[in-house]
Amino acid sequence: MELKIIEPKTKKAKPTGNLGFGKIFTDRMFVMEYANGAWGNARIQPYEPFVLEPSSSVFHYGQAVFEGMKAYKNEKGEVRLFRPRDNFNRMNDSNDRICIPRIDVEFALEALKKLVLLEKDWIPTEPGTALYIRPSIIAVDRALGVHAAHNYIFFIILSPVGAYYAHGLEPVGLYVEREYVRASKGGTGHHKVVGNYAASLKAGEKANALGYDQVMWLDAKEHKYVEEVGSMNIFFVLNGKAVTPELGGSILPGVTRRSVIELFKSKGITVEERLVSINEVVDGVISGKCTEIFGSGTAAVISPVGKICYNDTDYVVGGGKMGELSMLAYNELTGIQTGKIPDPFGWVMKISD
Ligand SMILES: Cc1ncc(COP(=O)(O)O)c(C=O)c1O
């Protein structure tokens, strides 16, 4: 498929100071449309608003998916993507689940590389910063009625983002949610479908109001097994082993989660993917068998957990400090992503003109 380039007439000033997360967007975006049974009209064009009719299906039935990944630039100006193929493959899994036509992963990768290179001056280089990449697909049929749409827009926008941790790697507090659920088996929770996030907001607000950073979700059926955290997967260090909930059909298969598992295994650290009950975690924290808890996800990479609240009681984990395996995962993953340390796994895609 041809990829057209439409250059912006004017360019924005590059940001200075604290970038925050997802507030600034670059000059260009990638857009492709699905109509008459095929993806086409692929182009890199100026970042600008879409004109959509109020009847557009995405507004009524939420048929939309998205992805999140990052590009990094080092002092030599080398640009790197981290496992982008995994994100586009996951996007196709999400597409299948909610009847959106699949995208051509190799074409999407080529378009992304081209877009990121055109916007490479927007990639920040301060430690911890990156260019966040947000691919999305929305249904745009101009008609009401609950059925899969026939028209879609696939777009990729880019946002320079600041260091997730403004003051070093600060452990977060998690609120174990017992009333609301995020996902159930057979639903859409293990795909990156937009409705999942709307459904999670209420519990997130509740956790924040109670003074916690994010929600720790339990399974929908028994409210017994830990699933994941707001926008991260979760790991426990229990009896010296890294334990993470198995992907049972209601947990998002995180690219960072997969990378932590592969990294730990390569270092001889035992990793167990299995059911983890909240009682096992709480008992482990009380007895000292659970020495670390950390979240994994694109935004923070690794997020140490300093305390969890279950049944109105706070349990402090690892003295409220970041543990050894959490630190190892953070240093190795961010080192590989930014090119500071070699990538023996073939995860990094180096891109250049
Ligand atoms: C619900 C949820 N779980 C886990 C993750 C972590 O996934 P990844 O490591 O691919 O960013 C994310 C972020 O994408 C998420 O939204």
Side-chain angles (χ1 to χ4, degrees):
M1 197 193 313
E2 197 204 338
L3 177 62
K4 246 191 318 189
I5 312 275
I6 307 159
E7 277 297 297
K9 290 205 177 65
T10 54
K11 302 224 175 113
K12 291 176 268 199
K14 305 282 183 301
T16 50
N18 187 9
L19 297 168
F21 185 87
K23 295 192 168 55
I24 299 159
F25 298 96
T26 69
D27 292 315
R28 302 171 177 88
M29 63 181 181
F30 168 76
V31 183
M32 173 165 90
E33 283 149 16
Y34 186 88
N36 303 317
W39 287 107
N41 195 12
R43 61 215 189 252
I44 290 173
Q45 60 157 70
Y47 176 97
E48 63 189 15
F50 291 123
V51 177
L52 294 177
E53 294 205 17
S55 58
S56 297
S57 27
V58 66
F59 296 142
H60 304 274
Y61 312 112
Q63 204 191 356
V65 299
F66 69 99
E67 271 302 326
M69 57 185 134
K70 282 177 174 171
Y72 304 86
K73 185 162 72 176
N74 66 10
E75 313 80 54
K76 286 190 239 154
E78 294 167 343
V79 179
R80 291 175 160 73
L81 300 173
F82 185 69
R83 310 190 81 169
R85 192 172 270 111
D86 290 23
N87 289 90
F88 285 131
N89 283 330
R90 186 170 68 185
M91 186 168 225
N92 268 338
D93 291 341
S94 305
N95 287 341
D96 286 345
R97 177 62 183 82
I98 62 165
C99 304
I100 294 177
R102 295 171 75 84
I103 54 162
D104 177 337
V105 169
E106 296 311 313
F107 180 76
L109 272 174
E110 286 312 308
L112 175 64
K113 285 196 240 173
K114 185 103 204 161
L115 176 66
V116 170
L117 281 180
L118 283 169
E119 298 291 60
K120 68 173 190 253
D121 292 346
W122 284 89
I123 310 177
T125 50
E126 292 291 305
T129 63
L131 185 71
Y132 184 77
I133 299 166
R134 168 54 57 87
S136 300
I137 302 178
I138 56 171
V140 293
D141 274 14
R142 290 172 292 166
L144 301 181
V146 181
H147 55 74
H150 304 290
N151 298 274
Y152 298 88
I153 300 176
F154 173 27
F155 58 93
I156 306 176
I157 54 175
L158 307 176
S159 173
V161 295
Y164 194 86
Y165 298 103
H167 312 286
L169 284 154
E170 283 166 21
V172 296
L174 302 182
Y175 181 78
V176 182
E177 175 58 50
R178 292 177 304 132
E179 182 188 357
Y180 301 112
V181 294
R182 196 194 79 92
S184 57
K185 289 189 201 334
T188 57
H190 62 311
H191 298 299
K192 233 167 147 56
V193 165
V194 296
N196 295 339
Y197 295 83
S200 74
L201 298 177
K202 189 87 178 166
E205 287 204 345
K206 178 175 151 193
N208 292 158
L210 291 168
Y212 300 90
D213 299 284
Q214 289 204 34
V215 173
M216 186 191 274
W217 296 103
L218 300 180
D219 74 281
K221 198 170 166 202
E222 297 180 76
H223 294 219
K224 182 174 168 189
Y225 298 103
V226 178
E227 299 239 299
E228 58 182 310
V229 176
S231 53
M232 296 189 289
N233 295 107
I234 188 94
F235 284 81
F236 304 94
V237 179
L238 274 159
N239 297 314
K241 297 175 195 159
V243 181
T244 189
E246 65 190 24
L247 300 174
S250 53
I251 295 175
L252 192 85
V255 176
T256 322
R257 174 188 183 277
R258 185 178 312 150
S259 308
V260 171
I261 293 171
E262 289 169 27
L263 174 79
F264 279 175
K265 285 188 175 166
S266 78
K267 305 244 172 235
I269 298 160
T270 307
V271 182
E272 292 178 355
E273 293 180 72
R274 61 168 171 84
L275 290 176
V276 187
S277 74
I278 186 63
N279 286 335
E280 179 183 3
V281 172
V282 168
D283 290 348
V285 173
I286 294 169
S287 67
K289 286 182 184 157
C290 177
T291 47
E292 297 179 43
I293 303 180
F294 65 88
S296 69
T298 297
V301 186
I302 298 296
S303 184
V305 175
K307 68 174 176 192
I308 58 170
C309 175
Y310 182 56
N311 276 340
D312 303 324
T313 306
D314 275 351
Y315 299 92
V316 174
V317 187
K321 296 202 179 69
M322 187 167 190
E324 205 182 314
L325 290 191
S326 318
M327 192 63 94
L328 173 86
Y330 182 80
N331 287 339
E332 294 272 332
L333 289 185
T334 54
I336 290 172
Q337 287 166 340
T338 54
K340 283 204 185 74
I341 58 177
D343 167 23
F345 305 97
W347 289 338
V348 164
M349 190 176 278
K350 224 162 119 178
I351 56 173
S352 51
D353 302 284

